[in-house]
Amino acid sequence: EPEVTQTPSHQVTQMGQEVILRCVPISNHLYFYWYRQILGQKVEFLVSFYNNEISEKSEIFDDQFSVERPDGSNFTLKIRSTKLEDSAMYFCASSSDRVTSTDTQYFGPGTRLTVL
Amino acid sequence: AQSVTQLDSHVSVSEGTPVLLRCNYSSSYSPSLFWYVQHPNKGLQLLLKYTSAATLVKGINGFEAEFKKSETSFHLTKPSAHMSDAAEYFCVVSGAGSYQLTFGKGTKLSVIP
């Protein structure tokens, strides 16, 4: 069964450093998402991406964050200058090409980001 | 705006007994509702989803959920718990015109042998 994969599984970085989290969505999907979960808190939506553009973003997704689909398979989340409060589990998700908000989002296993 | 409240942060059941995980939602639109499960060190796996068809939704691994509009609830049930059901369960809502999923805080299910 096709699945979303994410690398690395755990990333440790120093405050102020840039990090790039990588995701490989399911191959025939066209909608891509990032969510995060700070320890002990809810999973929160960050951004959705379609046709090489951001289609929705939350208040959390400020200028420190960016997303990119650099090639036909990868989808990345970049944090330009990490802060302590960016420490969280980051989940990538993808959904199929049907234009409906009821379509199922399939999630990857997550990348745990620790900012020291 | 939409929100989800999972009424229990932790539920503990004995193996072979029924499971009930409670969820209430709030949405300005006719919502789509989902239950996801997360096993330790694994991703979020879809258990089932409601999208305005039948109000009783059957999912994987014997789970089902009933959409009750009058109660704004979407509780998850299973007749007989198995050890492999031990995991964290998330109730999730999405609204019309948005791809953003809104998650509840999660309910950790423990299954006692």
Side-chain angles (χ1 to χ4, degrees):
Chain A
E1 184 176 324
E3 57 183 21
V4 177
T5 59
Q6 291 184 242
T7 54
S9 57
H10 192 186
Q11 173 92 44
V12 180
T13 189
Q14 296 290 325
M15 191 168 56
Q17 294 296 304
E18 174 184 286
V19 295
I20 298 176
L21 309 183
R22 291 182 167 80
C23 168
V24 179
I26 294 172
S27 62
N28 64 340
H29 284 184
L30 296 178
Y31 291 84
F32 314 113
Y33 314 86
W34 285 100
Y35 292 79
R36 78 171 186 192
Q37 185 180 29
I38 295 171
L39 192 63
Q41 298 186 23
K42 293 185 181 185
V43 176
E44 302 171 290
F45 170 79
L46 292 178
V47 66
S48 63
F49 189 85
Y50 169 72
N51 199 26
N52 283 319
E53 288 184 346
I54 290 174
S55 45
E56 275 184 276
K57 62 180 182 178
S58 71
E59 291 177 355
I60 302 167
F61 194 88
D62 61 22
D63 292 344
Q64 290 298 312
F65 292 89
S66 62
V67 289
E68 191 179 29
R69 188 144 161 87
D71 53 43
S73 59
N74 289 284
F75 179 51
T76 62
L77 174 69
K78 183 193 289 186
I79 309 174
R80 273 183 254 284
S81 177
T82 49
K83 307 182 188 71
L84 294 176
E85 53 265 35
D86 294 327
S87 295
M89 179 74 88
Y90 287 81
F91 293 104
C92 174
S94 68
S95 62
S96 77
D97 59 348
R98 286 184 293 145
V99 183
T100 165
S101 61
T102 64
D103 203 9
T104 300
Q105 294 183 24
Y106 295 88
F107 284 80
T111 293
R112 180 163 295 286
L113 176 65
T114 302
V115 182
L116 302 176
Chain B
Q2 55 208 27
S3 65
V4 173
T5 302
Q6 290 185 244
L7 297 163
D8 307 291
S9 59
H10 191 186
V11 170
S12 186
V13 300
S14 296
E15 190 176 17
T17 64
V19 176
L20 170 64
L21 305 183
R22 299 181 295 165
C23 171
N24 287 106
Y25 70 91
S26 171
S27 177
S28 305
Y29 304 96
S30 296
S32 295
L33 292 157
F34 308 80
W35 277 97
Y36 282 85
V37 60
Q38 185 179 28
H39 292 274
N41 301 316
K42 300 284 188 184
L44 294 157
Q45 180 186 18
L46 180 71
L47 272 182
L48 51 81
K49 69 178 183 180
Y50 165 78
T51 56
S52 76
T55 56
L56 184 62
V57 182
K58 293 189 184 301
I60 62 171
N61 301 333
F63 284 95
E64 61 182 39
E66 186 171 8
F67 174 72
K68 292 188 176 180
K69 187 175 181 178
S70 60
E71 299 176 11
T72 61
S73 69
F74 190 59
H75 301 334
L76 182 70
T77 60
K78 181 173 180 177
S80 176
H82 191 272
M83 295 299 295
S84 60
D85 295 328
E88 187 145 26
Y89 292 78
F90 295 93
C91 184
V92 180
V93 63
S94 75
S98 171
Y99 294 93
Q100 174 179 340
L101 297 181
T102 300
F103 282 72
K105 288 195 81 169
T107 298
K108 185 174 181 180
L109 176 66
S110 298
V111 182
I112 304 163

